Amino acid sequence: MKLFAEFTFETETAETIYRAVLPELHDNFSERSAIDLSLEDKNRLVLSVKAEDVVSLRSALNTWFRLIQIAQEVLETTSETTSKTTSKTDSPCRIS
């Protein structure tokens, strides 16, 4: 493959995001690009993309950036929902 791009995402949720998008590696989105996703440590996710041409590189990057972004947004949304639920049930009851 002619072109190569590598991006590192540093976040506390890297391991969870990695596990969430890992099944997508088994789907072959394009024969003109190859994707590698690895977890360097529990806070660092590395996305490597090899492609035959610029169009394939752009397409693969857009796809994987979006998958990672969606996983992060789902984590944030579920985290907000959980904290709101927890704060409601854990808050002391006041009677006035």
Side-chain angles (χ1 to χ4, degrees):
M1 303 247 167
K2 298 176 185 175
L3 302 172
F4 177 78
E6 185 171 276
F7 292 86
T8 302
F9 303 89
E10 292 188 26
T11 175
E12 294 175 0
T13 58
E15 187 175 4
T16 305
I17 292 170
Y18 174 76
R19 286 184 283 132
V21 300
L22 191 60
E24 303 299 332
L25 278 176
H26 302 296
D27 291 340
N28 192 8
F29 290 101
S30 170
E31 292 182 12
R32 300 183 316 180
S33 64
I35 309 298
D36 183 47
L37 190 66
S38 61
L39 196 59
E40 282 191 357
D41 58 43
K42 68 182 218 176
N43 293 330
R44 187 173 297 148
L45 182 66
V46 179
L47 172 67
S48 303
V49 179
K50 295 178 185 174
E52 290 293 331
D53 53 64
V54 175
V55 173
S56 297
L57 182 65
R58 179 201 49 80
S59 177
L61 288 172
N62 283 343
T63 297
W64 282 89
F65 287 161
R66 189 71 180 134
L67 287 170
I68 291 168
Q69 179 183 8
I70 289 168
Q72 179 65 37
E73 289 172 359
V74 167
L75 285 171
E76 290 170 2
T77 301
T78 56
S79 171
E80 289 170 8
T81 303
T82 303
S83 65
K84 286 179 183 176
T85 304
T86 303
S87 65
K88 285 180 182 176
T89 59
D90 291 347
S91 63
C93 179
R94 286 199 249 165
I95 301 173
S96 42

